[in-house]
Amino acid sequence: QLILQQDRMLFGDAGLFFSPNLRYTEPNTLSFEHLAVSLDKKWHTNQNLSWEAGISHVSQRPWNSRGQYGHDLVRELSRSRADISALYQFSELSSLLFGATAYREQARVSESYLFDADSRFDGQPDTDNTNLALFAQYQRDLGWAALTLAGRYEDDGAVGSKFVPRLALTRHWKKWHTKLVYNEAFKSPQFDTLASAANAGNEISGTETTSAWELEAGYQLDQNLAFTANLFWMKVEDYIGFNPQTASNTTLGDIATYGLETQAQWQSEHLAMTISHSYFTLGQNSIGDIGVAIDEDAVLGIPNQMFKLNLSYFTDLRSSFNLSAQQIFGRYACV
């Protein structure tokens, strides 16, 4: 797949951010090339055990540019990956899913107006990384609730290893349903994020980790109307973001939020309507660049509350009319 795009702004900077700091009078050409091949297979060992395996290779040339004033960027990325997983069915009430995945990825910069291409990655124009992960998930119907226990261990060559667990309890009876979930996740930064931080002296040495609790309850009032409420708490540790002061990526700090989301759904033969309200506030924030000095519960650019309405009218099985509306409460901006 090859996509070509004309851009008079070049990533939105209009040329003013980069030497010679002049506005563009000619459009830049941005190109995106993507090639992917994959092979996968499924099979059964016996009635209880099934397998799935696959291999894939992806090559890309993303965000390459040819522009005015020599604003050219040429880079290549590739990833080769292998996956295998198995599902063992103990009974109709319990099962175990387990598996492993491994990949090796490479990056190379041939030309760049943003940075020195010859020393982009620790003094070299190219770099590579390997990643290995093991995971397992156990599910069981306990009668009074459905239980899910899961965990994932991942070892990344660039930022080290991490284990994240998952716990979920769900129940549905009569017109009610409930859900309690604890989940952890992490993000291994990509090549350019790591290189940007290291070249600015803000080397990233670990993953970004998210922990979250979620409690949901729903009630089906009748065949047409249902209500749902979701209470959540989420904390992001070692958040990786862009620091405008150094024009580079770095580990910025920790942030925690909690809030409530409510939703009502109504549907008839020809009409469907969904109304929702979202609210959040800060429990903790050590990232000064996104904080608001006069409001400790807010962050820049994101509203603390929002209403949404979605209305659909179905004229027949093949045609419908849809109307969406939202009200966003005030939010703070940096100007």
Side-chain angles (χ1 to χ4, degrees):
Q1 183 181 34
L2 172 61
I3 299 175
L4 297 177
Q5 174 184 328
Q6 280 196 339
D7 182 16
R8 292 184 179 275
M9 298 292 287
L10 194 59
F11 314 126
D13 294 309
L16 298 178
F17 190 71
F18 306 102
S19 177
N21 306 107
L22 300 173
R23 292 193 182 277
Y24 294 118
T25 59
E26 300 175 5
N28 302 286
T29 299
L30 299 180
S31 64
F32 307 83
E33 296 182 43
H34 178 86
L35 171 66
V37 292
S38 64
L39 178 67
D40 61 84
K41 178 179 175 59
K42 299 179 181 179
W43 71 96
H44 290 266
T45 302
N46 53 47
Q47 186 176 359
N48 301 98
L49 181 62
S50 61
W51 296 83
E52 183 174 353
I55 56 174
S56 64
H57 178 77
V58 176
S59 294
Q60 294 181 328
R61 293 179 179 178
W63 291 102
N64 284 0
S65 66
R66 290 294 180 186
Q68 197 174 0
Y69 311 125
H71 285 178
D72 300 334
L73 178 62
V74 180
R75 56 183 170 186
E76 302 175 33
L77 300 169
S78 67
R79 174 181 287 186
S80 299
R81 176 170 175 154
D83 297 89
I84 186 168
S85 62
L87 176 63
Y88 189 83
Q89 199 76 35
F90 295 102
S91 67
E92 293 182 356
L93 300 179
S94 62
S95 65
L96 175 65
L97 172 70
F98 57 95
T101 180
Y103 66 79
R104 181 174 183 266
E105 53 187 0
Q106 297 173 289
R108 179 177 179 81
V109 178
S110 304
E111 193 174 350
S112 175
Y113 67 96
L114 295 166
F115 43 76
D116 183 1
D118 294 332
S119 59
R120 174 60 169 171
F121 305 108
D122 196 23
Q124 302 293 326
D126 52 23
T127 187
D128 62 79
N129 186 40
T130 57
N131 183 288
L132 173 65
L134 304 172
F135 61 88
Q137 176 175 284
Y138 175 72
Q139 291 183 296
R140 181 174 178 82
D141 187 343
L142 301 175
W144 58 274
L147 170 68
T148 299
L149 286 173
R152 179 182 179 91
Y153 171 81
E154 191 161 321
D155 184 35
D156 188 273
V159 291
S161 59
K162 190 71 178 180
F163 173 78
V164 290
R166 173 179 170 82
L167 166 66
L169 283 171
T170 59
R171 184 178 183 185
H172 183 275
W173 77 102
K174 296 183 179 180
K175 294 184 177 182
W176 287 92
H177 80 265
T178 58
K179 176 174 68 174
L180 174 64
V181 178
Y182 176 72
N183 190 58
E184 291 186 15
F186 63 89
K187 180 173 68 176
S188 298
Q190 61 178 344
F191 285 124
D192 277 341
T193 301
L194 292 168
S196 168
N199 292 337
N202 304 313
E203 186 171 353
I204 297 171
S205 58
T207 61
E208 175 185 306
T209 304
T210 301
S211 304
W213 282 98
E214 183 180 351
L215 176 62
E216 180 178 296
Y219 183 72
Q220 187 82 31
L221 186 64
D222 56 35
Q223 185 177 357
N224 305 103
L225 183 61
F227 298 95
T228 304
N230 186 287
L231 182 67
F232 67 89
W233 173 88
M234 181 175 68
K235 182 177 182 180
V236 182
E237 297 180 280
D238 299 324
Y239 173 74
I240 298 171
F242 186 79
N243 185 348
Q245 307 300 324
T246 61
S248 67
N249 292 285
T250 186
T251 300
L252 295 176
D254 305 334
I255 184 169
T257 62
Y258 61 92
L260 175 68
E261 296 181 339
T262 55
Q263 180 175 275
Q265 292 178 296
W266 178 82
Q267 184 168 346
S268 65
E269 182 179 357
H270 293 286
L271 194 63
M273 181 173 64
T274 301
I275 302 175
S276 63
H277 173 253
S278 302
Y279 169 79
F280 89 93
T281 188
L282 291 182
Q284 172 191 353
N285 181 25
S286 64
I287 308 174
D289 287 337
I290 64 172
V292 179
I294 61 174
D295 190 347
E296 62 181 12
D297 295 325
V299 294
L300 289 175
I302 302 176
N304 288 76
Q305 293 193 69
M306 178 169 59
F307 281 101
K308 284 186 176 181
L309 168 67
N310 191 78
L311 185 65
S312 298
Y313 178 74
F314 304 94
T315 57
D316 54 42
L317 293 177
R318 295 175 296 177
S319 303
S320 64
F321 175 78
N322 189 78
L323 174 67
S324 297
Q326 66 179 21
Q327 179 187 12
I328 298 176
F329 284 61
R331 45 188 169 168
Y332 296 92
C334 180
V335 297

